[in-house]
């Protein structure tokens, strides 16, 4: 599936400059005035469900924030990710962290990995197909690699690393999120909140150049189709070309996300749009390196251990339609519909571990013609009312998720190709002539109904949250000659209470249950109970200054009904055991002074098997006990100059489970610290605002390995020093 008829290997900079030069100064001045004074084209209240509808019209007032809308600086005040309703973070009895657009721009975050390093307890992982997709771990448990992130509250297939150019925010909900989002891994969920049409006119152009011949152009333009601002539009575009940091590798990407909103009348709004993304990357860029019995092999980061022609390609198109209607001043109904169509193909290789002389082998691995379609919808009824002195926000809703996946044939095996880490053979892959193909497809259908009540009492000091959800899931799975059809249902609930000791200090406690994936034995076809989870959490939320927030959370999270290989027959799967994660997290976000912005995070995570015949007491691989990050920016008054600097630290991590490979234990990956820096200068250019910026990531060129896939033949490799220079034009 390919939607664009041109190659992305070109730069949009000449076009961007031409647009800027051709725009009359009087028109740009008028547009800026419109943006500064615009008001919403509706009288409907703005505390709407930003996940089900998002906020389609946003004012330009600096002190106005709605869930899903722009954040001034680094500190968000409101979110809907934790509750599906627009709620103050200081009054939400769960841990929700928000990465703002300003922070992503200051750090030049080109990937979700770049953005999420700012949140405590969130770590990059190796997915089942390497880093061909986004893969993360939250609070010690890996997210579903085929749906690691959500878009505006809806799960989408994550074969390719997601683009950041069209995002307004990235939000992380900690702990089981099944109450709001159905079947999901228990560590939490990552919600990508898209940029939406706003009142007023603006265009932002950016050209980036950098290490490994990076050439990246982005455009963000917003305006109105009509003078009354009832019809608005917004378009985001990104085109990227770069060589990989490994030999014989490259990366190409095209991203396009147009949206339109319609203010039908004072009570009704509609928004629609699509997100298109096309990627083609070298296989070696996604699979890191390998190890021997002592851990990662000692070779140059640029060494490509795969074939030079190995690659994967992905095209996806996501269409969204949202609407809301205010029934009266207190009740409203809203719905989101999403449809995803994607295809992918890969011709790659699977590597063995290396022996002590550096010898390893390559065999074929890929997929022939992968196809995925996802249809999803949710409809919510939200009411705001009072019973005596208690204020209620009631949410009742249903959702449906239908995912149909067909690999087109998983391809593996073939004649092993010998190679050596010190002199890899990148030019010969005879195994690609005699590999095996296995059918692999599944249909995943989930339907849920949920009810939630948020209550405020004692003069808005005490906030109580209680909710329940019923899920019915039907999962049909086929691989090779085996087929399974587990059908599961579950009733889960959560409760939380938050008390504001004063307007700047709140303490909270919560309990939540989760509903995870289906379990079955690949060898016997036996179907087990699904995975479940529960979490206890206590914490405090402090507004240290009017612009600086601190969240401290302590938790115990248990994941049950884990599967494992039968010690007496490794071809069988048995259901046994649980794992428990205990930890402490701190997140500091905001401004110390009007010129000094900062984000800091720290997490202590102790996650280990607490009931298991094979792994009892053992830590889970790739999870650091200690993780921390810090980022500061300082603006030198009105001079236009700004500097930034930050650190990212990860303590040592287990590389492989002892129960799987006792001879390699304790194989660990070293702790590491990364240093990032930024300098920027903003200045007027004709009737535009221009900003020149230079970012350096991994300043000291640290060699590091963030994670493994649980063995020494799949070890993630951190990116070496990256330099990105950019020019931004806004008008």
């Amino acid at each position: 599936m390919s939607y664009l008829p041109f190659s992305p290997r070109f730069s949009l900079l000449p076009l961007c400059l031409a647009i800027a030069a051709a725009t009359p100064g009087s028109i740009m001045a008028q547009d800026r005035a419109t943006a500064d004074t615009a008001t919403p084209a509706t009288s409907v209240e703005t505390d709407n469900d930003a996940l089900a509808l998002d906020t389609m019209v946003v004012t330009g007032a600096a002190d106005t924030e709605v869930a899903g809308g722009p954040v001034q600086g680094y500190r968000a005040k409101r979110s809907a990710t934790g509750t599906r309703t627009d709620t103050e973070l200081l009054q939400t009895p769960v841990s929700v962290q928000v990465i703002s657009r300003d922070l992503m721009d200051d750090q030049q975050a080109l990937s979700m990995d770049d953005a999420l390093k700012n949140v405590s307890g969130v770590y990059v992982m190796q997915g089942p197909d390497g880093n061909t997709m986004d893969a993360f771990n939250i609070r010690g448990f890996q997210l579903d690699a085929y749906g690691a992130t959500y878009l505006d509250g809806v799960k989408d297939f994550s074969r390719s690393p997601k683009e950041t150019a069209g995002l307004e925010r990235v939000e992380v909900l900690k702990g089981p999120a099944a109450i709001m989002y159905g079947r999901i891994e228990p560590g939490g969920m990552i919600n990508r909140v898209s940029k939406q049409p706003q009142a007023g006119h603006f265009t932002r152009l950016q050209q980036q150049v950098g290490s490994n011949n990076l050439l990246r152009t982005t455009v963000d333009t917003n305006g109105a189709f009509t003078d009354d601002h009832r019809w608005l539009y917004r378009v985001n575009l990104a085109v990227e070309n770069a060589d990989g940091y490994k030999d014989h590798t490259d990366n190409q990407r095209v991203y396009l996300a147009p949206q339109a909103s319609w203010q039908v009348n004072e009570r009704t709004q509609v928004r629609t749009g699509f997100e298109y993304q096309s990627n083609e990357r070298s296989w070696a860029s996604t699979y890191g390196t390998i190890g021997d019995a002592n851990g990662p092999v000692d070779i140059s980061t640029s060494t490509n251990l795969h074939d030079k022609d190995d690659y994967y390609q992905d095209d996806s198109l996501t269409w969204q339609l949202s609407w809301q209607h205010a029934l009266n001043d207190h009740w409203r109904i809203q719905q989101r519909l999403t449809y995803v169509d994607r295809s992918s193909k890969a011709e790659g290789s699977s590597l063995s571990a290396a022996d002590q002389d550096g010898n390893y082998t390559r065999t074929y691995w890929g997929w022939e013609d992968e196809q995925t379609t996802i249809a999803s919808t949710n409809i919510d009824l939200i009411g705001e009312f009072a019973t005596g002195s208690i204020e209620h926000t009631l949410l009742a809703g249903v959702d449906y998720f239908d995912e149909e996946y067909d690999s087109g044939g998983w391809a593996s095996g073939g004649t092993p190709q010998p190679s050596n880490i010190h002199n890899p053979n990148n030019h010969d892959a005879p195994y690609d002539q005699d590999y095996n193909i296995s059918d692999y497809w599944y249909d995943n259908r989930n339907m849920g109904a949920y009810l939630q009540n948020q209550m405020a009492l004692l003069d808005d000091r005490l906030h109580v949250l209680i909710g329940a959800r019923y899920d019915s899931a039907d999962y049909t799975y086929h691989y090779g000659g085996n087929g399974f059809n587990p059908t599961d249902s579950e009733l889960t609930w959560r409760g939380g209470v938050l008390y504001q000791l004063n307007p700047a200090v709140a303490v909270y406690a919560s309990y939540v249950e989760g509903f995870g994936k289906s379990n079955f034995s690949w060898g016997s076809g036996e179907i087990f109970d699904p995975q479940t989870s529960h979490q206890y959490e206590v914490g405090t939320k402090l507004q240290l200054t009017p612009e600086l927030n601190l969240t401290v959370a302590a938790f115990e999270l248990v994941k049950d009904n884990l599967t494992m290989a039968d010690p007496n027959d490794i071809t069988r799967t048995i259901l046994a055991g649980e794992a428990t994660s205990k930890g402490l997290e701190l997140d500091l976000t905001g401004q110390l002074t009007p010129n000094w912005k900062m984000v800091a995070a720290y997490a202590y995570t102790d996650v280990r098997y607490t009931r298991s015949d094979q792994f009892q007491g053992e830590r889970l691989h790739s999870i650091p006990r200690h993780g921390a990050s810090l980022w500061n920016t300082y603006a030198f008054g009105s001079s236009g100059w700004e500097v930034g600097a930050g650190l990212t630290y990860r303590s040592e991590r287990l590389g492989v489970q002892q129960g799987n490979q006792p001879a390699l234990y304790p194989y660990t990956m070293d702790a590491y610290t990364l240093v990032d820096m930024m300098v920027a200068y903003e200045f007027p250019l004709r009737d535009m605002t221009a900003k020149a910026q230079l970012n350096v990531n991994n300043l000291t060129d640290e060699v590091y390995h963030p994670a493994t896939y649980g063995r020494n033949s799949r070890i993630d490799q951190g990116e070496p020093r990256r330099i990105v220079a950019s020019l931004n034009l806004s008008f």
Side-chain angles (χ1 to χ4, degrees):
M1 177 176 60
S2 180
Y3 296 98
L4 293 184
F6 56 82
S7 168
R9 188 165 287 279
F10 68 94
S11 170
L12 294 179
L13 180 59
L15 174 62
C16 296
L17 293 176
I19 293 172
T23 306
S26 59
I27 296 178
M28 289 185 286
Q30 179 182 356
D31 289 347
R32 287 197 302 274
T34 303
D36 291 340
T37 60
T39 58
T42 176
S43 62
V44 179
E45 295 178 356
T46 57
D47 57 342
N48 296 320
D49 178 352
L51 293 179
L53 174 70
D54 306 315
T55 304
M56 293 180 289
V57 181
V58 179
T59 70
D63 60 348
T64 300
E65 182 185 324
V66 294
V71 176
Q72 297 293 326
Y74 294 172
R75 182 181 71 101
K77 301 176 183 178
R78 311 184 69 88
S79 172
T81 295
T83 61
R84 282 194 180 270
T85 63
D86 188 329
T87 306
E88 286 190 38
L89 288 170
L90 194 60
Q91 298 177 347
T92 305
V94 293
S95 180
V96 178
Q97 303 303 321
V98 179
I99 304 163
S100 72
R101 181 73 251 172
D102 281 357
L103 178 57
M104 287 187 278
D105 288 342
D106 286 347
Q107 295 182 339
Q108 292 292 279
L110 303 183
S111 67
M112 294 295 292
D113 296 1
D114 293 338
L116 288 164
K117 67 185 179 184
N118 298 289
V119 180
S120 66
V122 180
Y123 304 116
V124 175
M125 296 292 287
Q126 270 268 323
D129 301 319
N131 292 334
T132 61
M133 60 187 70
D134 290 321
F136 299 100
N137 183 294
I138 303 178
R139 288 189 169 175
F141 295 109
Q142 184 161 348
L143 306 185
D144 179 2
Y146 293 98
T149 65
Y150 286 59
L151 177 62
D152 296 329
V154 177
K155 178 181 176 181
D156 63 344
F157 195 98
S158 296
R159 169 67 73 193
S160 290
K162 297 302 182 182
E163 176 58 53
T164 60
L167 300 182
E168 193 70 73
R169 310 170 172 214
V170 176
E171 304 192 337
V172 180
L173 169 62
K174 306 289 189 66
I179 298 298
M180 292 290 97
Y181 302 102
R183 308 187 80 177
I184 187 170
E185 290 301 298
M189 65 92 71
I190 298 167
N191 188 32
R192 297 153 36 232
V193 180
S194 61
K195 295 176 180 176
Q196 300 151 31
Q198 302 179 29
H201 294 257
F202 60 79
T203 297
R204 302 178 182 122
L205 313 174
Q206 182 183 61
Q207 181 65 48
Q208 296 164 295
V209 297
S211 303
N212 303 309
N213 297 316
L214 171 69
L215 188 62
R216 174 181 165 91
T217 307
T218 61
V219 180
D220 179 5
T221 185
N222 182 95
F225 290 113
T226 58
D227 292 338
D228 60 5
H229 286 79
R230 300 184 74 87
W231 282 92
L232 304 176
Y233 68 85
R234 191 164 187 176
V235 180
N236 276 271
L237 170 69
V239 177
E240 179 180 331
N241 301 280
D243 296 331
Y245 60 83
K246 289 183 174 296
D247 300 331
H248 315 298
T249 58
D250 60 20
N251 173 47
Q252 300 180 30
R253 167 174 290 184
V254 172
Y255 169 84
L256 177 64
Q259 296 189 57
S261 66
W262 177 30
Q263 187 69 48
V264 181
N265 53 47
E266 290 186 349
R267 293 187 177 273
T268 307
Q269 297 176 347
V270 179
R271 181 176 68 90
T272 190
F274 68 83
E275 182 182 77
Y276 168 76
Q277 185 169 311
S278 176
N279 297 269
E280 184 167 331
R281 301 178 68 193
S282 297
W283 188 264
S285 299
T286 69
Y287 275 85
T289 187
I290 61 176
D292 55 28
N294 299 314
V297 295
D298 186 15
I299 57 176
S300 170
T301 303
S302 63
T303 302
N304 183 348
L305 299 175
H306 296 262
D307 188 87
K308 68 180 181 65
D309 294 324
D310 287 352
Y311 78 96
Y312 94 92
Q313 172 266 330
D314 179 280
D315 293 278
S316 64
L317 183 67
T318 300
W319 172 79
Q320 293 180 319
L321 174 67
S322 302
W323 63 268
Q324 74 170 11
H325 175 70
L327 302 173
N328 52 45
D329 292 341
H330 302 288
W331 290 87
R332 57 187 177 275
I333 189 171
Q334 51 202 20
Q335 184 179 20
R336 170 183 294 283
L337 299 96
T338 300
Y339 181 78
V340 180
D341 183 15
R342 61 168 300 281
S343 65
S344 176
K345 183 177 181 179
E347 294 183 359
S349 51
S350 177
L351 309 183
S352 71
D355 64 21
Q356 292 302 307
D357 295 322
N359 298 311
Y360 70 100
T361 59
R362 289 187 286 119
T363 53
Y364 192 78
W365 186 21
W367 44 93
E368 296 290 284
D369 185 20
E370 188 179 63
Q371 301 287 331
T372 307
T373 59
I374 297 174
S376 177
T377 187
N378 69 281
I379 185 165
D380 294 331
L381 177 67
I382 299 176
E384 297 166 351
F385 58 92
T387 57
S389 61
I390 303 176
E391 299 288 338
H392 299 263
T393 300
L394 186 68
L395 167 70
V398 295
D399 56 27
Y400 178 74
F401 177 85
D402 186 331
E403 177 185 12
E404 296 184 1
Y405 170 84
D406 188 342
S407 71
W410 277 106
S412 61
T415 304
Q417 175 68 22
S419 192
N420 187 278
I421 61 173
H422 303 296
N423 185 28
N425 180 359
N426 302 120
H427 307 282
D428 188 14
Y431 54 74
D432 66 3
Q433 302 300 315
D434 59 352
Y435 55 81
N436 300 312
I437 299 178
S438 299
D439 292 338
Y440 172 39
W441 58 265
Y442 64 80
D443 293 337
N444 181 20
R445 296 179 175 86
N446 299 275
M447 178 174 288
Y450 44 91
L451 182 67
Q452 174 183 275
N453 191 10
Q454 296 170 257
M455 293 168 280
L457 55 159
L458 299 182
D459 295 326
D460 208 33
R461 296 196 308 275
L462 180 62
H463 295 266
V464 179
L465 170 68
I466 188 165
R469 178 186 177 99
Y470 177 78
D471 275 290
S472 176
D474 186 319
Y475 187 71
T476 303
Y477 179 95
H478 180 88
Y479 179 75
N482 296 324
F484 318 98
N485 182 218
T487 57
D488 303 309
S489 60
E490 192 79 12
L491 178 66
T492 53
W493 73 279
R494 73 170 172 179
V497 58
L498 178 145
Y499 184 74
Q500 288 190 262
L501 302 174
N502 59 53
V505 179
V507 293
Y508 72 92
S510 65
Y511 171 81
V512 59
E513 296 178 342
F515 179 41
K517 65 181 181 181
S518 300
N519 282 330
F520 48 82
S521 172
W522 288 62
S524 66
E526 184 179 1
I527 297 174
F528 307 118
D529 290 336
Q531 294 186 4
T532 59
S533 59
H534 64 272
Q535 176 186 270
Y536 297 93
E537 179 177 332
V538 296
T540 183
K541 300 186 178 188
L542 308 174
Q543 190 171 333
L544 302 178
T545 73
E547 298 298 330
L548 186 66
N549 281 7
L550 172 66
T551 300
V552 181
F555 64 90
E556 179 179 273
L557 170 59
V558 179
K559 182 177 181 180
D560 204 355
N561 294 338
L562 300 177
T563 56
M564 57 182 285
D566 186 342
N568 300 315
D569 181 1
I570 61 173
T571 65
R572 295 183 65 250
T573 301
I574 61 175
L575 181 64
E578 69 177 22
T580 300
S581 178
K582 300 179 181 180
L584 177 70
E585 298 170 344
L586 294 84
D587 289 272
L588 180 68
T589 307
Q591 294 187 200
L592 291 171
T593 71
N595 295 333
W596 184 0
K597 296 181 291 187
M598 73 175 301
V599 172
Y602 167 77
Y604 170 79
T605 309
D606 182 12
V607 56
R608 59 184 68 240
Y609 289 93
T610 48
R611 192 178 75 248
S612 173
D613 294 336
Q614 192 167 349
F615 306 126
Q616 182 65 30
E618 191 174 335
R619 293 166 52 202
L620 275 65
H621 71 81
S622 300
I623 311 304
R625 273 201 178 98
H626 304 277
S629 63
L630 172 67
W631 175 261
N632 295 269
T633 57
Y634 187 83
F636 294 90
S638 59
S639 68
W641 285 98
E642 187 176 31
V643 296
L647 302 171
T648 302
Y649 170 76
R650 303 290 184 255
S651 64
E652 71 174 17
R653 296 147 324 283
L654 188 65
V656 64
Q657 303 296 158
Q658 180 183 13
N660 284 335
Q661 294 180 300
L664 297 180
Y665 191 79
Y667 147 44
T668 60
M669 296 172 289
D670 293 337
Y672 62 89
T673 301
L674 308 180
V675 180
D676 301 333
M677 297 190 70
M678 177 271 283
V679 61
Y681 177 61
E682 186 173 283
F683 57 96
L685 179 64
R686 296 190 62 193
D687 292 304
M688 299 176 291
T689 298
K691 186 176 184 179
Q693 185 169 324
L694 180 69
N695 287 73
V696 183
N697 288 41
N698 191 4
L699 179 69
T700 60
D701 206 19
E702 177 93 354
V703 176
Y704 65 103
H705 303 282
T708 78
Y709 196 54
R711 52 182 183 260
N712 59 350
S713 60
R714 293 265 302 275
I715 302 176
D716 198 8
Q717 195 163 29
E719 187 174 358
R721 181 189 297 117
R722 182 179 74 194
I723 302 173
V724 177
S726 63
L727 176 64
N728 299 265
L729 302 176
S730 301
F731 54 90

